[in-house]
Amino acid sequence: MAGVKLIDVVKRYPNGFQAVNSINLEIYDKEFVVLVGPSGCAKSTALRMVAGLEEITDGQILIGDRVVNDVAAKDRNIAMVFQSYALYPHMDVYTNMAFALKLMKFPKEEVDRRVRRAADILGIEELLDRKPKRLSGGQRQRVAVGRAIVREPEVFLFDEPLSNLDAKLRVTMRAELTTLQHQLETTMIYVTHDQVEAMTMGDRIVIMKEGHIMQVGTPLEVYNFPDNKFVAGFIGSPAMNFFSAKLVQVDGGLIIDSGSFQVKVPKESHGIYGGYKDKEVTFGIRPEDIVDTLPQDARGQWEKLNAVVRLIEPLGAEIILEMESGQQRFVARVDPHSKSRLNEEAQVYFNMRKMQLFDAKTEQVIPRP
Ligand code: ADP
């Protein structure tokens, strides 16, 4: 068992492109950490550096207490599962899972013990004599994970392992991998571009952008307390609404003026936000914090505004409304019993207790109370 540490790690590719800009990250023993971010943010590069498949330009990587900068991939005691988990087509499942151990000259009994244990954990005992072509996508994915489990590594590394599966299977496999991690009690680092995967699987999430770490936290921390506009917009679907606005003082109160609408800042936030009076800010509010009918037990401060409904997406358990207020467009996630009609004006309410403000220039959050 081992944690993983990245200290001031830089990666410059031979063509001079700096993909990773001095990142620092500590992954604890037995933790499930997800690296997430848009394509090209260097999450795979980061993972491949931990795996030893990519050299690091600067800094240190530790697995457990050992600096592994100069340790070959095969000696790092890690196992990696890729998106394209090519199984050997002419070998049955047992042989596919046993293959690496045989290469490493493990005794036959030990190989057998490990393969059967992995098959038992993954519930694929009855598939051991099948060839890959007679397996479903999910079963193949399980075998690929099985190949990693038999190595009994200190750290598992996953690079978008579920991307090739259909949506429904992805959800099932997501849950299976989470359960597996609890069962094996092993450190896992998982790379994905899918924020839902990150939110549902990670003990902690590392959100990356252009080779930088934007925030590290538990799923609810990064959702409720994003450090910056990027994280606020990346985590959550539909994404948080953003409005360029100005904070203005009116009669002792603070108002967010977006040009198209004005909403009052809750009193308890005046102290924190007061310093931004007359400055350009970005006002953020999540679609789920906008309603078109005020809940009966509504507490806190709800600011009313009129907006025209431009698109209705009924999803069954909820309805997504795309709305327009003056020049501003925003998305609301409302109750399925919504009475809002297409191209008609509706009243909506912003739950101001959930608002976020960002510095317009730095895009850093102005922490709320
Ligand atoms: P992600 O996994 O987040 O999609 P990658 O780690 O694959 O991102 O890539 C990060 C950045 O590094 C991208 O801009 C990519 O084009 C660049 N990159 C990846 N591999 C190489 C390489 N071998 N040479 C030069 N640039 C590379």
Side-chain angles (χ1 to χ4, degrees), residues 13-15 17 19 37-46 54 159-160 191:
Y13 279 109
N15 66 357
F17 178 70
S39 182
C41 71
K43 50 198 184 298
S44 297
T45 301
E54 206 65 76
D159 195 354
E160 306 244 6
V191 159

Side-chain angles (χ1 to χ4, degrees), residues 243-250 253-267 270 273 281-285 289-290 301-306 325 328 330 348-353 355-357:
F243 308 91
S244 296
K246 208 168 186 179
L247 267 186
V248 278
Q249 185 144 25
V250 181
L254 266 185
I255 281 185
I256 297 166
D257 185 356
S258 77
S260 297
F261 61 81
Q262 283 90 30
V263 284
K264 284 204 239 44
V265 173
K267 275 218 171 54
H270 282 186
Y273 295 147
V281 291
T282 302
F283 166 54
I285 187 140
D289 298 321
I290 304 176
Q301 185 179 327
W302 297 75
E303 287 289 302
K304 182 164 79 174
L305 63 127
N306 293 328
S325 173
Q328 306 279 10
F330 61 89
V348 292
Y349 302 85
F350 286 5
N351 183 358
M352 299 304 285
R353 277 214 178 144
M355 66 170 277
Q356 300 277 4
L357 272 195

Side-chain angles (χ1 to χ4, degrees), residues 156-285:
F156 282 92
L157 306 176
F158 292 92
D159 195 354
E160 306 244 6
L162 307 184
S163 311
N164 287 339
L165 306 178
D166 65 57
K168 195 158 173 228
L169 190 53
R170 261 204 320 264
V171 175
T172 317
M173 291 299 296
R174 218 154 73 190
E176 279 187 23
L177 286 180
T178 311
T179 309
L180 180 72
Q181 201 260 346
H182 293 150
Q183 216 172 337
L184 295 175
E185 295 194 318
T186 309
T187 313
M188 291 192 180
I189 311 179
Y190 187 103
V191 159
T192 179
H193 62 274
D194 179 346
Q195 58 95 16
V196 177
E197 226 165 84
M199 290 292 279
T200 50
M201 297 177 82
D203 293 324
R204 283 189 307 153
I205 308 181
V206 178
I207 297 132
M208 297 182 65
K209 180 193 174 195
E210 295 168 4
H212 293 274
I213 291 179
M214 302 304 282
Q215 189 169 357
V216 182
T218 65
L220 290 182
E221 274 165 8
V222 297
Y223 176 85
N224 288 318
F225 304 101
D227 279 349
N228 47 63
K229 189 179 163 204
F230 179 81
V231 171
F234 189 79
I235 298 293
S237 175
M240 183 182 282
N241 298 293
F242 296 116
F243 308 91
S244 296
K246 208 168 186 179
L247 267 186
V248 278
Q249 185 144 25
V250 181
D251 301 336
L254 266 185
I255 281 185
I256 297 166
D257 185 356
S258 77
S260 297
F261 61 81
Q262 283 90 30
V263 284
K264 284 204 239 44
V265 173
K267 275 218 171 54
E268 66 263 26
S269 310
H270 282 186
I272 293 267
Y273 295 147
Y276 278 79
K277 205 169 54 175
D278 298 325
K279 295 209 174 109
E280 304 289 329
V281 291
T282 302
F283 166 54
I285 187 140

